[in-house]
Structures are given as C-alpha cells and as structure tokens.
Amino acid sequence: MASLPKTMKGVWIEKPGGTEVLQYRTDIPVPEPKDGEVLVKNEFIGINYIDTYFRTGLYPPPHYPYILGRECSGTVVALGPNTPSDLSLNTRVVYTGQYAYAEYTPVSANYTIPIPDSISSKDATAAILQALTALTLIREAHPVKKGDWVLVTAAAGGVGLWLCQLLKAVGARTIATASTAEKRELAKKNGAEALLEYHDEDREKFVGKVLEITGGEGVAVAFDSVGKATFDAVLKTVKRKGSMVSFGNSSGAVDPFTIGRLSAKNVKLLRPTLFNYIVTREELQQYAAELWEFITKDKMDVRIHDVYPLKDVVRAHQDIESRKTTGKLLLQP
Ligand code: NDP
C-alpha cells in the first residue's frame, strides 16, 4: 500500500446555508476505508445539483461537518476488508457515493466500478451519476418505447442532455424545454426533435404547444427535474395512461399533491432517485455496462461544461444554481 499523507484538501460544511458555508480546507484527516470500502485518490469530482440540496439543507446531511460531493473518478490506493477482486490497488475507478469533494474518499465497493480502457476518467465522471440517472429513468421509471413522444425539462442541463441522447438512441421523439435559445439548440444537437420555452408567464400556452406537437394526445412520459415551477403544467401534458416522472427540485420542492388528480387521465406519478435503482453492485454493473456501450458504440457526446480547481467550489455552486452551465461541471482536487 502506498504511504498516504495524514491530512488532505477538501470542502466541508458545518451548517446548512448559501455558498458562504462551503469551507475549502487543507487540514482534513485522510480517512481509512472500512469493511467493504476502498479508499480512492480522487482525480475528477462531479458537480451535481443535488450537492446544492445538501448544502442548503433541503436534503439534510447525516452529520456535520459534512464533506459534499456524490461522484468522482480516481485510483484505488487502499483496501478495507472484504472488497471485491476487481477493485485491487491502482485500479482506475469511478464511483457514486458521498464525501467526493476531497483528495481522498472512502467509498463502498457497491458503488464503485472500474473504468474501461475505452473511456477517459473525465468522461466516466461526467457520465456516472447524470447519465445513469437518465438511463434508469427511461428503462425503469417509464420504459420508453420507439416512437413515444417524451417531454424533458431543463433539457440542456447535465441529466437533460443525457436524456435527449438516450431517448434518440432508443427511437423516442423528444420535446425539450430550456431557458435560452442557445440551450435549446444544444438540446436539438443532442437529439431533441421539438424545442419549447417554458412560457413562464403563460403555462397554458406551454401545455397547448405540447398538445399541438403531439397531435392533441400529450406525451407518453414527462421527465421533469425543475419541480415546483413546472410540475402542474407538465402534468397536464401527459396523455391518458402516461407517466409523470418528477425527479428533481431545481426551482424548489413540488408542493403537496392530491392523489385524486391522477384519475383524470389514469396517469402514473413517480418520484424516483438513481440511488434506489442501483442498490446492489450487480445493478450498478449492469447499468454501467449498458452506459459504456451507449457512449462508445453510439458515440455519445460527453459534454464537459468546464473543470475548476476544488478551491473554486463556490463559483461552481453559483454557476449551477444560476443556470449558467450546460452539461457537466467538474472539480479537480
Ligand atoms: P442541471 O445541469 O440540469 O442544472 C439545473 C437546470 O435546471 C438549470 O441549468 C436550469 O436549466 C434548470 N432550472 C429551471 N429552473 C431553475 C431554477 N429556478 N434554478 C436553477 N435551475 C433551474 O443539473 P443536474 O443535471 O445536476 O440535475 C438536474 C436535476 O435532476 C436536478 O433537479 C437534480 O436534483 C435532479 N437529479 C435527480 C436525480 C435523481 O436520482 N432523482 C439524480 C440526478 C439529478 P434551464 O435554464 O434550461 O431551465
């Protein structure tokens, strides 16, 4: 085992709040891997919208101080007891888990997989959480069929661009919403067929446009990550026996919902999270294998918005919250 330093760089929070609670530190003790864990020396850290929920307390962290960050790539530098043989020392890996905003992270082997030679560490990090979210949504939340009309909100964001590409690959027809013309153009380049503004001032206009595009029927499934601001209008765009998949809160948490509203069109309502689709290592391996295949065989565009040094974490949170990013923002320790 390589000799490891005693302390490391990392970003933690001691209380919920705005970006002012993000503390970049150089004195965090290097953790040791426990049973079933490997210690990873991080190379690229992925920024996800969920990081802002843990920072603000919308999703309460399990303890304070709390190191943010849900995904990363790097190299295995130490093994805890009972780790699988494909995670030996020096293996290049990508993981979804906790405590990624740091130089070293102990991660459960369940959530850690080797990166194939054909995929760069940067691309693997950019893909693992957002692309797997998109993949599990179209396979499990609502198994999308060829020819289905699908609505995707925030379509030029991290998860959004993956949804556009994967939906195109499976033969679905995507209606994409995004806040600027440039973002909508990017969604189109990534496979969206019809482009829409949110029509913030007139949600009925938005609903009408979706119905018009789909010949009056509505979409087979709507994937909405914007949440509070769009939920009601998006629900109205779903056709009879279709699915409303609400998977994010970028504009705030969806208001409490009266279940009886679903009977108007026998719509299925889901609120899934990636982490409950990849609970076992087998599930993660199966979805990751399918994802690597999509990236290499279908030549999917892994869009990296930018790479910032870890110490610029405040800028990273500000950029994602102010809707400035398209695709993936990464940090480097
Ligand atoms: P994005 O890169 O998509 O960034 C969020 C986007 O949301 C913005 O770019 C913006 O796009 C849009 N948006 C709309 N309204 C607002 C608002 N009021 N404030 C900020 N942004 C707004 O982030 P991610 O790809 O990381 O995540 C997308 C969503 O998916 C998040 O809500 C996240 O929580 C959710 N998610 C859920 C997962 C799950 O397992 N359930 C897993 C991963 C992500 P525009 O300007 O075009 O509207």
Side-chain angles (χ1 to χ4, degrees), residues 1-300:
M1 197 178 298
S3 78
L4 297 170
K6 294 258 177 301
T7 56
M8 64 176 185
K9 293 179 263 181
V11 173
W12 77 28
I13 56 172
E14 292 176 344
K15 57 180 182 188
T19 52
E20 72 286 349
V21 300
L22 295 164
Q23 293 183 31
Y24 174 75
R25 306 181 66 108
T26 55
D27 58 351
I28 299 176
V30 172
E32 281 183 21
K34 301 196 187 77
D35 194 35
E37 289 182 344
V38 294
L39 186 70
V40 177
K41 184 172 191 329
N42 295 326
E43 189 181 0
F44 293 103
I45 302 160
I47 290 274
N48 289 285
Y49 216 89
I50 194 172
D51 303 347
T52 69
Y53 305 150
F54 280 103
R55 193 204 71 222
T56 61
L58 176 66
Y59 295 175
H63 51 80
Y64 289 107
Y66 184 66
I67 298 177
L68 295 170
R70 308 289 288 187
E71 72 182 336
C72 202
S73 62
T75 309
V76 175
V77 290
L79 304 170
N82 302 313
T83 48
S85 57
D86 65 335
L87 297 180
S88 53
L89 289 179
N90 299 320
T91 308
R92 201 166 61 98
V93 293
V94 64
Y95 64 82
T96 62
Q98 302 190 78
Y99 316 130
Y101 287 10
E103 274 182 286
Y104 295 90
T105 303
V107 271
S108 161
N110 264 1
Y111 297 124
T112 309
I113 40 169
I115 304 172
D117 291 344
S118 55
I119 310 268
S120 71
S121 299
K122 218 188 221 182
D123 285 0
T125 320
I128 197 72
L129 198 151
Q130 291 171 335
L132 282 188
T133 299
L135 186 57
T136 54
L137 288 179
I138 70 160
R139 291 289 190 230
E140 294 208 45
H142 178 102
V144 175
K145 295 198 293 297
K146 197 168 177 205
D148 279 347
W149 274 111
V150 178
L151 177 65
V152 175
T153 58
V159 180
L161 285 176
W162 283 108
L163 277 170
C164 291
Q165 295 192 78
L166 291 168
L167 287 165
K168 172 86 176 170
V170 300
R173 308 179 72 184
T174 300
I175 303 171
T177 70
S179 60
T180 66
E182 280 116 315
K183 285 185 176 186
R184 290 191 286 277
E185 203 43 45
L186 187 60
K188 188 171 172 193
K189 268 200 200 129
N190 282 265
E193 186 172 326
L195 307 171
L196 271 188
E197 296 172 40
Y198 293 104
H199 298 290
D200 289 329
E201 70 299 339
D202 184 356
R203 294 291 191 203
E204 288 309 316
K205 189 169 168 190
F206 169 80
V207 176
K209 292 260 180 206
V210 176
L211 293 179
E212 194 182 306
I213 294 165
T214 56
E217 249 203 327
V219 292
V221 51
F223 293 113
D224 179 50
S225 65
V226 174
K228 191 179 179 66
T230 49
F231 181 88
D232 285 327
V234 170
L235 178 61
K236 288 186 190 166
T237 68
V238 178
K239 74 175 186 183
R240 187 174 70 88
K241 299 200 281 183
S243 302
M244 167 78 195
V245 182
S246 171
F247 70 97
N249 325 280
S250 301
S251 67
V254 173
D255 290 331
F257 181 80
T258 307
I259 197 166
R261 285 172 64 190
L262 297 173
S263 59
K265 286 189 281 177
N266 286 7
V267 164
K268 298 177 205 68
L269 172 64
L270 296 94
R271 204 325 181 173
T273 79
L274 168 66
F275 295 100
N276 283 326
Y277 285 132
I278 52 168
V279 170
T280 66
R281 188 145 199 263
E282 289 71 30
E283 286 173 320
L284 175 64
Q285 283 170 324
Q286 177 214 315
Y287 275 118
E290 192 181 0
L291 177 63
W292 305 142
E293 177 127 343
F294 267 122
I295 293 176
T296 46
K297 292 235 171 84
D298 290 59
K299 303 203 177 354
M300 293 208 166

